[in-house]
Amino acid sequence: MPTLLTRRSLIRGITAATAVASLATGLAACGGDSDAATTTSAAKTGEVVVGQVSNGAATQTTIKVSEVKSISAELPDSVKKSGKLVIGEGALPAGFPPLAFVGSDQKTLTGSEPDLGRLVAAVFGLKPEIDNATWENMFVGIDSGKVDVAFSNVTDTEERKKKYEFASYRQDNLAFTVPKKSTWNFDGNYENLAGKTVSVSAGTNQEKILLEWKKKLESEGKKLTVKYFQDSNSVYLALSSGKIDAYLGPNPGIAYHNKQTANTPNATRTAGTYSGAGASLQGLIAATAKKDSGLAKPLADAINYLIKNGQYAEWLKAYNLSNEAVAKSEVNPPGLPLDNS
């Protein structure tokens, strides 16, 4: 994984830009697209343990959840008869904390995405089986029927709806990160960027948005300085030294960095979020299944059960992603338009 995001990786939904390099290096994934050593069982029936062996990326939390027969009855017969839910992850070769990566035991695939898949499997009364592959091969797995559903930070787009169906579960957000001691907040208003120096990754969707704000401010006689760095270490060094006021990047990676630095002299915090789809649409991350598979509705119903009964909030809190919560899961909600997907 590159340290800073390309536009292509953002559209894919991979948000590793601000991952701490030492963890990513130490958690290299197993080779191939095998699901070997990636299945984690609940501590006991009716429980799912999220954040296991996450090496600080999450707070390990035991969540109670059991089969809901009215929802599992909605599943296609082929899935019900198999007794398992095959969950696709596109986390090879190195993973992208806190979303999906090989844990500190060097074998378990952990992260917010496979853990939500495990919670949904529990609602279905099915055994979760994680199939970890490269990003491209994850979609090949869905197309071939090897994988039932991907929980892998996939952005809902109109282009992808040509082949897949979706059940949304998380907002697709960008975020500003600042030193913890900073009093500045974005508050959703680009005018608050006047006079600030902000870093962003070149060639990304967030750069496009930031440069649009820069142009608006210039038309108002105000200045926004944009700076670029080669890697995340340089970004955070510039942030701690005061050379930049903020960094704009994908929210999950920033939430991860905030958690990793919380008790250090260079602690950071989130100073505001913004939809990765821009002002006209709230971007969404969604469970992804083959079109006409019959899985989108039961997936949405399972996620909505978790939302209603509090397990969803526990899952987000464990990964410091509560600011990406959705009020409900929707089947095939509006996605990034064809001219931006």
Side-chain angles (χ1 to χ4, degrees), residues 225-248:
T225 301
V226 178
K227 287 194 173 181
Y228 300 91
F229 298 90
Q230 289 298 313
D231 54 58
S232 59
N233 288 336
S234 299
V235 168
Y236 286 110
L237 181 61
L239 194 64
S240 63
S241 65
K243 291 182 179 179
I244 59 174
D245 298 299
Y247 167 67
L248 177 62

Side-chain angles (χ1 to χ4, degrees), residues 20-316:
V20 173
S22 60
L23 177 64
T25 301
L27 301 180
C30 303
D33 65 353
S34 170
D35 59 7
T38 60
T39 300
T40 296
S41 299
K44 60 183 179 181
T45 301
E47 291 184 351
V48 174
V49 183
V50 305
Q52 290 190 87
V53 297
S54 66
N55 201 25
T59 301
Q60 184 168 310
T61 306
T62 299
I63 299 177
K64 295 185 180 298
V65 57
S66 299
E67 181 181 2
V68 181
K69 293 190 181 296
S70 60
I71 297 176
S72 60
E74 301 174 7
L75 290 167
D77 288 342
S78 59
V79 176
K80 282 190 286 189
K81 290 176 181 178
S82 73
K84 63 185 180 181
L85 184 70
V86 182
I87 300 161
E89 291 292 340
L92 289 180
F96 36 99
L99 300 175
F101 57 100
V102 175
S104 53
D105 64 354
Q106 301 300 311
K107 62 180 182 179
T108 302
L109 193 74
T110 189
S112 62
E113 305 301 86
D115 277 351
L116 180 60
R118 293 174 179 121
L119 287 167
V120 168
V123 175
F124 290 156
L126 299 174
K127 178 183 177 181
E129 183 177 293
I130 309 297
D131 186 273
N132 191 21
T134 62
W135 179 260
E136 291 82 2
N137 282 336
M138 177 185 72
F139 286 99
V140 171
I142 299 172
D143 296 344
S144 68
K146 177 183 177 183
V147 167
D148 296 316
V149 56
F151 283 91
S152 193
N153 205 46
V154 180
T155 300
D156 168 24
T157 76
E158 294 305 312
E159 177 67 28
R160 287 179 176 150
K161 283 179 185 171
K162 295 176 181 178
K163 293 182 65 177
Y164 306 103
E165 57 188 32
F166 295 107
S168 57
Y169 61 85
R170 189 162 51 76
Q171 293 182 15
D172 182 10
N173 284 338
L174 305 174
F176 287 94
T177 187
V178 298
K180 190 174 182 179
K181 63 185 179 183
S182 170
T183 60
W184 179 81
N185 287 296
F186 174 59
D187 292 331
N189 184 0
Y190 76 92
E191 293 188 344
N192 287 337
L193 292 164
K196 300 299 180 183
T197 299
V198 179
S199 177
V200 72
S201 302
T204 61
N205 192 45
Q206 57 263 33
E207 181 198 28
K208 177 183 175 183
I209 291 170
L210 190 64
L211 292 181
E212 287 173 353
W213 288 333
K214 176 181 169 71
K215 186 175 180 181
K216 283 185 178 181
L217 287 169
E218 287 174 346
S219 71
E220 300 169 7
K222 301 171 185 176
K223 184 178 180 180
L224 166 63
T225 301
V226 178
K227 287 194 173 181
Y228 300 91
F229 298 90
Q230 289 298 313
D231 54 58
S232 59
N233 288 336
S234 299
V235 168
Y236 286 110
L237 181 61
L239 194 64
S240 63
S241 65
K243 291 182 179 179
I244 59 174
D245 298 299
Y247 167 67
L248 177 62
N251 181 68
I254 284 174
Y256 172 72
H257 185 270
N258 292 344
K259 188 174 180 66
Q260 295 299 106
T261 62
N263 298 313
T264 73
N266 296 322
T268 56
R269 68 174 180 86
T270 296
T273 60
Y274 192 76
S275 170
S280 61
L281 181 71
Q282 174 57 60
L284 293 170
I285 302 298
T288 306
K290 192 173 183 179
K291 189 173 182 178
D292 300 323
S293 66
L295 279 169
K297 185 179 185 302
L299 285 165
D301 288 346
I303 295 165
N304 283 325
Y305 173 85
L306 296 169
I307 291 172
K308 180 181 178 181
N309 291 279
Q311 297 98 331
Y312 173 82
E314 290 184 84
W315 162 71
L316 285 174

